[in-house]
Amino acid sequence: MKKFNIRKVLDGLTAASSSSSATAQPGTPRENDVVLETLQSEHFQLCKTVRHGFPYQPSSMAFDPVQKILAIGTQTGALRLFGRAGVECYCQHESGAAVIQLQFLINEGALVSALTDDSIHLWNLRQKIPAILHSLKFNRERITYCHLPFQSKWLYIGSERGNIHIVNVESFTLSGYVIMWNKAIELSTKTHPGPVVHISDNPMDEGKLLIGFECGVVVLWDLKCKKADYRYNYDEAIHSVAWHHEGKQFVCSHSDGTLTTWNVRVPAKPAHIITPHGKQPKDGKKPEPCKPILKVEYKTTRAGDPFMVLSGGLSYDTVGRRACLTVVHGKSTTVLEMDYPIVDFLTLCETPYPNDFQEPYAVVVLLEKDLVVIDLGQTGYPIFESPYPLSIHESPVTCCEYFADCPSELIPALYSVGSRQKRQGFSKKEWPISGGNWGQGTQSYPEIIITGHADGSIKFWDASALMLQVLYKLKTAKVFERARGKEEKPTADIVDEDPFAIQTLSWCPESRMLCVAGVSAHVIVYRFSKQDITTEVVELLEVRMQCDFNGVDSPVLGGEQTSALPTPAASCSPQESESPFQPSTGSNSSDGPRDNIPCLQVRSSPLKQSPGYQVELVIQLVWVSGEPPQQITSLAVNSSYGLVVFGNCNGLAVVDYLQKTLLLNLGTSELYSPSDPCQRQPRSPRKPRQPSGAKMSRKISSSSEQKPESDAKDNAFTRSRSSSVTSIDRESREAISSFYFCESFPRKSDSLLSPCLLVGTSQGSVMMLALSLPPGGDQRLQQPLSFASCGTLVRLKGGILTMGLLDATGILLPPSYEQWYDPNASDEEKEKSRRRRPPSPPSSQEGQEAQFAVVCSEKQAKVVAMPSQTCIHKHNITETSFVLRADVVQVAGAYCITCFCANGHIMTLSLPSLRPLLDVNYLPLTDMRIARTFCFSNLGQALYLTSPTEIQRITYSQETCDNLQEMLSELFTPVETPEAPNRGFFKGLFGGGAQSLDREDLFGETTAGKASRSLAQHIPGPGSMEGMKGAASGVVGDLARARIALDERGQKLGELEERTAAMMASAESFSKHAHDVRV
């Protein structure tokens, strides 16, 4: 336990320091004051926990029909596994190469992945964090297709050269058995058949392998005789092949949009040729060619017609038509339009056996940006309602906030109003991907993630217990008028794109007050209500904020460091002194500069507001003399005071959302007192005004500076909490970057606490404003609030990111708040539920204990004693980089500062001593999306958008890392494999059933010999058998250990048998030699 004496720290300060005098001022720490610090480095460890969202850039898919687990591979080498709701897992191939194909070892708890770097990997899924058991890297062949028969340990691998190699998946060694392309095709063929695009064994005869070559040739290969039984030729290239379960027919899909059906014993010509989407000419000619059918699946049922499911094949004249999945059932053909291009699809069937009636019940369709599951058992083929949080990217995420340990009633309240927003028309059946088990972790506190999006929507997510589920969606764009036509823009050509995008938000969980700022320089205040209302007129307040660089008239703060600020009437433009609810009649003529014009037009018709968040007030910044309003860089709401404060590079504004009035509108320079030594003069004159016809670029994905067209959308961003990230290309103006409401000592001479507002700027200054609140009740709605400037509190290097206030024992003093009450409830119910925390302590309490103001900037952190305003601790966080995000958080019952730097380091500093506790080089800043969305929360949690579609959650808590194995879900569960189909009496009698094959005898080293060593290199994986032993636990572990023990026992018995045979051979040889000697 760390102890430090504040008096000893103060002894080292210079004589100029106000607290170095012999007589301590009221409220300063006394000699015997001791702050106990309990946090040590042992409390911190950094690790990833879970990844949520849709797999970014998916490339392949596989399904285990017994375990009911879905696997998705991506173009970046990622692997995502999904089971029932809440069961998901992420792992990554080290090479980062794209995943070509995935194959489950069905009901074995293992998965084979094939990559574009010509490597195959065996994943062990019997542990909570899957690991690679074996890898095989091909040196001379490019992998194009893989096939693993059900309950077989021999994996067929097709190559670009047209050859087929066979791998033992237990040992990951190559068999000497190879099917060469020149033996598979006819010897008279002069051209190479192209890559292998399909491999499958006959469902009724494992000894017959069907090989599809890209050129259109299909070969039925006899594995035992090592020769081709039949060859099927077609003029068009092949994309996929599917068997009928009886093994007598197969279907091929081709590049001209045709499907050919072949009888196995009639290779001369197809039995049927159809073009599902082709126009049939009346004169009997061949239909017009269509787009390629990329995949076809043929599934049979006992009771009715078979299902044929295919993707692609549309007519070329359907220009602009979306991707489609076609389901052919009997005589009916259903075309299902998809929102995005189809990557792959799988038909889910009741049986894993290929030689039985398949009984398909669903189709899983993997799209470029979505996952859709179609119910084949209901008329119209409705889709299942997905339990996964795959809609994070429904509109691009522009900001993110994370709240851990929220009030317990919040999640039920949000779920209650959000459940009414759910779409209808889903399948009534349960989600078919239902494998795995939830984790057994003890982490039970409520967690909420809020995401802001480019379309103006805000989503609330339940993130408790390492899961993620959407609770409620708020559409802020409903407040504004929408453009009706392409020519009619929403704001008279002021905004280019995404005019409603969310820039930053401020949320008070206790009072449920929500305040959001958008890129069109607008702020919306919301209250939470369980009742629906119709708002006849949306209340609007227009604010005219401008910079005073060019001598713009602004009130001068006279007098000493503490001075009363001007009243609203004095500081506002004439427009604001009028009724705040009347929209301005600004000038927007072509012959003069724009003035008093907001960027968006608030709707004039009545607004019906459903239960949930409802608009209380809309605040808009307006054009000023041809200058567009500047984007809002900081925002805060306080329910106890009824105030919203926001700032940009021009200054700050304070709005009373109860009285719907503007209280304060100040330029940044006006916050300093005239004698303030920290005041900075502008470094450059005001930028030239834009002409009135100039557009204001307000894409959330692009900065105000011009960037090359080639830059990715995420490579520029706007900071949600602070404009300080614009240190990359900093403007000359001093912007407001951070706010913090508190109850402290505004002046050095104060002995009483009073409401205050701390204001941080992009140039490192922290100023304090003192608030004077009227009494509560009706007087609060009638009397105005007043402010007094208290000058600069402290100055740091770099822009201010976060601020906080600790009491004398080091406990965080959160901003005061008002308990939530329903604004639409009756007056009696309001009085019962409305218990306001006192905004300031009673005036009779004198000699309050000391406080510590905590300030963190892009470069430094400082702790300042209050009210003496003496800096007692300082820590330089970084010299060569800058901090992107910083927060004061609670970990292990104590408080600390957490920082994320642009160089990838994550750090924690103790409070109040600012001792470094953690410094890990975790994640270099690869793109600005991470910087825009990275956020810390209490109890050691953090998150960021790792891709445009995925949220990565991490923890910096040692306790969470220790419990992570228990908290994670299990993918593999012990399930009995279904019984094989009954062959029937007559089939058994006359040999009509499925023919088995002793693959071990055929492909083993004894018969086939050894493969060439130069062909492929075996690489043992980190998840070896020893690792598997340690990772397995519970029933699954017992089964796994039993299986491993059997394998080891079998191996030892085999070795013993070999040694015995060798000894017998040796004894026989010795006996023979002895006999020869005797003779």
Side-chain angles (χ1 to χ4, degrees):
M1 187 177 290
K2 170 75 176 175
K3 295 184 179 181
F4 70 93
N5 193 301
I6 293 177
R7 185 64 181 176
K8 291 180 181 179
V9 176
L10 297 180
D11 286 342
L13 297 173
T14 61
S17 176
S18 60
S19 61
S20 63
S21 58
T23 58
Q25 298 184 22
T28 55
R30 291 176 289 275
E31 189 171 356
N32 59 351
D33 288 340
V34 174
V35 177
L36 301 179
E37 290 191 13
T38 57
L39 284 182
Q40 303 295 331
S41 297
E42 294 74 34
H43 290 105
F44 297 91
Q45 184 183 342
L46 194 69
C47 69
K48 294 180 179 180
T49 53
V50 289
R51 182 173 291 200
H52 303 295
F54 181 77
Y56 183 55
Q57 294 180 330
S59 57
S60 57
M61 178 172 59
F63 182 70
D64 187 326
V66 180
Q67 287 290 320
K68 297 193 181 301
I69 293 289
L70 181 75
I72 297 176
T74 74
Q75 294 179 29
T76 57
L79 201 58
R80 295 283 301 277
L81 296 121
F82 297 90
R84 66 178 64 190
V87 175
E88 52 183 301
C89 179
Y90 158 79
C91 32
Q92 176 73 42
H93 294 90
E94 283 187 13
S95 68
V99 180
I100 302 172
Q101 203 174 346
L102 296 170
Q103 291 266 307
F104 273 102
L105 279 68
I106 295 174
N107 205 25
E108 294 287 335
L111 176 73
V112 173
S113 58
L115 275 59
T116 52
D117 65 353
D118 308 309
S119 62
I120 57 172
H121 309 269
L122 178 66
W123 289 87
N124 172 27
L125 306 183
R126 289 174 176 255
Q127 55 196 58
K128 291 193 172 183
I129 302 176
I132 293 176
L133 292 171
H134 299 282
S135 297
L136 197 65
K137 179 77 167 63
F138 282 79
N139 299 321
R140 299 183 315 207
E141 295 267 28
R142 301 300 307 271
I143 297 173
T144 56
Y145 196 87
C146 298
H147 171 62
L148 181 66
F150 178 47
Q151 293 182 327
S152 167
K153 68 176 184 179
W154 296 97
L155 173 72
Y156 301 103
I157 297 179
S159 73
E160 194 174 54
R161 291 183 179 180
N163 305 322
I164 293 178
H165 302 276
I166 302 168
V167 174
N168 184 324
V169 293
E170 288 183 353
S171 61
F172 248 52
T173 53
L174 273 171
S175 166
Y177 192 113
V178 182
I179 304 173
M180 304 300 289
W181 68 270
N182 53 356
K183 292 184 179 180
I185 65 170
E186 292 185 60
L187 296 175
S188 60
T189 306
K190 296 181 180 179
T191 57
H192 190 280
V196 175
V197 295
H198 178 82
I199 307 171
S200 61
D201 44 346
N202 188 317
M204 284 297 180
D205 189 351
E206 294 176 351
K208 302 297 172 67
L209 197 68
L210 196 70
I211 307 165
F213 295 96
E214 188 181 60
C215 69
V217 175
V218 179
V219 176
L220 188 66
W221 182 264
D222 189 319
L223 290 166
K224 287 182 179 178
C225 300
K226 300 183 180 180
K227 67 181 183 68
D229 277 357
Y230 300 104
R231 296 181 178 92
Y232 314 86
N233 292 283
Y234 193 70
D235 294 337
E236 297 294 333
I238 290 176
H239 284 276
S240 71
V241 183
W243 277 101
H244 185 282
H245 83 276
E246 291 180 345
K248 296 177 181 179
Q249 283 188 333
F250 61 89
V251 179
C252 300
S253 71
H254 298 276
S255 58
D256 63 345
T258 59
L259 293 173
T260 55
T261 304
W262 299 81
N263 290 325
V264 170
R265 297 181 181 274
V266 185
K269 64 175 183 178
H272 304 287
I273 302 176
I274 60 170
T275 309
H277 296 287
K279 295 178 181 178
Q280 300 292 338
K282 295 180 181 179
D283 53 5
K285 292 183 180 179
K286 189 177 179 181
E288 292 181 6
C290 294
K291 296 176 184 177
I293 296 177
L294 301 176
K295 186 174 183 179
V296 62
E297 290 200 344
Y298 190 32
K299 304 297 179 183
T300 55
T301 61
R302 292 182 193 275
D305 295 316
F307 282 87
M308 193 178 289
V309 186
L310 53 107
S311 64
L314 295 178
S315 174
Y316 278 105
D317 59 10
T318 55
V319 179
R321 188 172 180 181
R322 293 187 291 185
C324 294
L325 188 82
T326 305
V327 180
V328 180
H329 185 217
K331 294 182 179 179
S332 72
T333 300
T334 306
V335 180
L336 304 171
E337 276 199 352
M338 301 292 154
D339 290 335
Y340 305 101
I342 297 173
V343 176
D344 195 5
F345 73 86
L346 293 171
T347 307
L348 307 189
C349 302
E350 296 288 353
T351 177
Y353 294 93
N355 59 351
D356 193 10
F357 286 97
Q358 301 299 292
E359 304 296 343
Y361 59 89
V363 180
V364 181
V365 189
L366 178 63
L367 308 177
E368 282 188 359
K369 294 184 179 180
D370 202 2
L371 182 73
V372 176
V373 182
I374 299 163
D375 185 357
L376 292 178
Q378 289 189 33
T379 308
Y381 305 131
I383 64 171
F384 289 87
E385 184 177 9
S386 174
Y388 309 137
L390 301 181
S391 62
I392 292 170
H393 64 289
E394 188 177 20
S395 173
V397 176
T398 54
C399 72
C400 205
E401 293 295 337
Y402 191 4
F403 300 86
D405 204 14
C406 303
S408 58
E409 68 276 3
L410 256 180
I411 289 177
L414 288 166
Y415 180 81
S416 175
V417 296
S419 60
R420 308 180 193 188
Q421 300 176 328
K422 289 192 176 181
R423 286 173 47 196
Q424 303 297 318
F426 289 111
S427 170
K428 296 178 181 177
K429 297 178 184 176
E430 291 188 2
W431 181 251
I433 305 165
S434 55
N437 284 321
W438 294 322
Q440 304 297 321
T442 56
Q443 187 173 309
S444 58
Y445 49 84
E447 298 173 78
I448 291 178
I449 295 170
I450 305 179
T451 53
H453 299 264
D455 64 353
S457 62
I458 294 173
K459 291 180 181 177
F460 291 78
W461 305 83
D462 178 7
S464 309
L466 295 186
M467 296 188 186
L468 194 69
Q469 180 185 12
V470 68
L471 292 171
Y472 171 71
K473 181 179 178 180
L474 172 65
K475 296 180 180 178
T476 65
K478 286 184 176 180
V479 176
F480 302 102
E481 297 284 3
R482 289 266 187 178
R484 297 178 182 176
K486 291 184 179 179
E487 296 180 359
E488 181 187 350
K489 295 189 178 181
T491 58
D493 79 349
I494 293 178
V495 178
D496 283 345
E497 191 178 308
D498 296 336
F500 310 111
I502 305 300
Q503 180 121 0
T504 182
L505 59 89
S506 175
W507 187 51
C508 176
E510 289 79 13
S511 66
R512 305 185 192 175
M513 289 297 300
L514 174 67
C515 193
V516 299
V519 292
S520 295
H522 63 274
V523 175
I524 310 175
V525 183
Y526 288 93
R527 283 186 185 272
F528 186 86
S529 175
K530 294 182 178 180
Q531 302 177 24
D532 57 350
I533 59 167
T534 299
T535 305
E536 295 298 328
V537 178
V538 176
E539 297 189 87
L540 169 65
L541 186 63
E542 292 183 346
V543 179
R544 184 182 176 91
M545 292 181 73
Q546 59 190 27
C547 187
D548 56 355
F549 281 6
N550 287 353
V552 177
D553 292 337
S554 59
V556 178
L557 300 180
E560 300 175 1
Q561 190 180 21
T562 302
S563 54
L565 296 181
T567 61
S571 64
C572 300
S573 64
Q575 169 219 327
E576 287 138 6
S577 60
E578 300 169 5
S579 173
F581 312 122
Q582 299 298 325
S584 61
T585 56
S587 97
N588 193 22
S589 59
S590 57
D591 55 351
R594 289 202 179 122
D595 198 47
N596 285 354
I597 300 292
C599 294
L600 298 174
Q601 185 179 352
V602 174
R603 64 184 293 162
S604 54
S605 57
L607 176 64
K608 185 177 181 181
Q609 305 199 67
S610 304
Y613 276 101
Q614 300 170 351
V615 179
E616 175 86 358
L617 177 65
V618 177
I619 307 163
Q620 287 186 288
L621 302 188
V622 296
W623 285 68
V624 178
S625 303
E627 283 278 345
Q630 298 299 308
Q631 290 190 354
I632 291 165
T633 56
S634 51
L635 177 71
V637 62
N638 187 281
S639 58
S640 182
Y641 308 150
L643 298 179
V644 169
V645 57
F646 56 91
N648 59 16
C649 63
N650 287 340
L652 67 84
V654 182
V655 172
D656 183 339
Y657 65 77
L658 298 177
Q659 296 185 21
K660 311 293 190 298
T661 56
L662 178 68
L663 299 175
L664 201 62
N665 183 4
L666 287 179
T668 310
S669 61
E670 296 174 287
L671 291 168
Y672 296 96
S673 62
S675 58
D676 199 328
C678 294
Q679 183 174 8
R680 284 191 169 189
Q681 297 300 322
R683 293 183 297 177
S684 61
R686 189 178 186 177
K687 291 183 178 180
R689 292 177 178 173
Q690 297 180 4
S692 59
K695 292 185 180 179
M696 176 181 57
S697 177
R698 283 298 162 89
K699 296 181 182 177
I700 191 65
S701 53
S702 62
S703 66
S704 57
E705 303 294 325
Q706 287 193 345
K707 287 190 168 284
E709 289 290 332
S710 60
D711 279 9
K713 192 169 185 180
D714 287 312
N715 281 353
F717 70 103
T718 308
R719 226 1 222 131
S720 61
R721 288 265 314 264
S722 161
S723 67
S724 58
V725 149
T726 52
S727 8
I728 297 170
D729 63 52
R730 186 192 298 273
E731 292 189 3
S732 61
R733 307 183 197 180
E734 186 171 12
I736 306 297
S737 60
S738 183
F739 293 112
Y740 189 76
F741 284 100
C742 60
E743 292 173 12
S744 186
F745 306 98
R747 308 162 188 84
K748 293 181 180 180
S749 58
D750 285 349
S751 59
L752 295 177
L753 296 175
S754 62
C756 300
L757 174 64
L758 293 176
V759 181
T761 74
S762 60
Q763 293 186 10
S765 294
V766 177
M767 278 82 75
M768 185 174 279
L769 298 178
L771 283 66
S772 177
L773 300 175
D778 293 338
Q779 295 184 55
R780 170 64 184 86
L781 301 176
Q782 296 169 1
Q783 296 183 18
L785 285 77
S786 60
F787 294 81
S789 171
C790 303
T792 303
L793 172 65
V794 68
R795 180 163 185 79
L796 285 76
K797 293 180 183 177
I800 304 300
L801 296 178
T802 191
M803 299 177 285
L805 197 67
L806 308 178
D807 66 10
T809 63
I811 304 299
L812 184 70
L813 297 170
S816 58
Y817 57 84
E818 178 183 58
Q819 292 290 351
W820 175 77
Y821 67 94
D822 196 325
N824 299 325
S826 63
D827 292 338
E828 292 180 3
E829 291 177 0
K830 285 183 183 180
E831 288 301 320
K832 289 179 182 178
S833 61
R834 192 170 182 172
R835 297 186 180 91
R836 183 188 296 271
R837 279 182 52 175
S840 57
S843 57
S844 59
Q845 295 182 1
E846 294 195 16
Q848 295 286 331
E849 289 187 331
Q851 294 178 336
F852 302 103
V854 179
V855 186
C856 185
S857 74
E858 294 173 317
K859 297 284 188 181
Q860 292 179 317
K862 287 186 179 182
V863 174
V864 179
M866 302 291 286
S868 66
Q869 300 185 6
T870 304
C871 178
I872 59 171
H873 291 289
K874 182 177 80 169
H875 179 76
N876 291 325
I877 299 172
T878 177
E879 294 292 340
T880 58
S881 184
F882 58 96
V883 180
L884 291 165
R885 176 79 185 218
D887 288 287
V888 179
V889 296
Q890 184 181 16
V891 181
Y895 291 89
C896 63
I897 295 178
T898 53
C899 304
F900 172 55
C901 285
N903 60 9
H905 283 252
I906 292 179
M907 292 173 277
T908 60
L909 306 173
S910 70
L911 287 176
S913 67
L914 300 180
R915 285 180 300 115
L917 298 171
L918 175 75
D919 187 351
V920 177
N921 188 3
Y922 169 69
L923 178 77
L925 185 61
T926 51
D927 58 53
M928 295 307 173
R929 178 186 58 253
I930 297 172
R932 188 179 64 233
T933 57
F934 199 104
C935 49
F936 295 100
S937 187
N938 287 329
L939 307 176
Q941 308 300 324
L943 65 82
Y944 59 93
L945 239 73
T946 185
S947 74
T949 62
E950 297 166 291
I951 287 177
Q952 177 67 56
R953 291 168 68 177
I954 62 175
T955 181
Y956 50 95
S957 162
Q958 179 68 57
E959 182 183 2
T960 305
C961 290
D962 292 342
N963 298 328
L964 188 58
Q965 277 289 336
E966 294 180 13
M967 295 161 63
L968 292 174
S969 53
E970 284 182 321
L971 290 169
F972 181 81
T973 53
V975 180
E976 287 289 332
T977 302
E979 289 187 10
N982 191 355
R983 293 174 65 186
F985 174 74
F986 290 104
K987 284 188 177 180
L989 186 64
F990 298 108
Q995 302 296 313
S996 60
L997 174 72
D998 187 354
R999 294 188 178 95
E1000 183 68 37
D1001 181 54
L1002 195 60
F1003 302 143
E1005 189 175 318
T1006 306
T1007 307
K1010 290 185 178 181
S1012 170
R1013 289 186 178 180
S1014 61
L1015 182 61
Q1017 177 187 1
H1018 176 258
I1019 306 167
S1024 61
M1025 283 296 185
E1026 291 299 323
M1028 190 173 171
K1029 289 178 189 175
S1033 60
V1035 180
V1036 178
D1038 294 339
L1039 286 174
R1041 281 192 290 272
R1043 181 167 183 167
I1044 295 165
L1046 282 173
D1047 290 344
E1048 290 177 346
R1049 185 164 176 259
Q1051 185 179 352
K1052 288 176 181 176
L1053 284 172
E1055 291 172 357
L1056 181 62
E1057 189 177 347
E1058 287 174 4
R1059 284 199 300 270
T1060 305
M1063 288 172 67
M1064 288 177 67
S1066 176
E1068 187 177 348
S1069 174
F1070 177 77
S1071 173
K1072 184 179 179 183
H1073 282 295
H1075 178 72
D1076 292 342
V1077 169
R1078 191 178 297 176
V1079 171

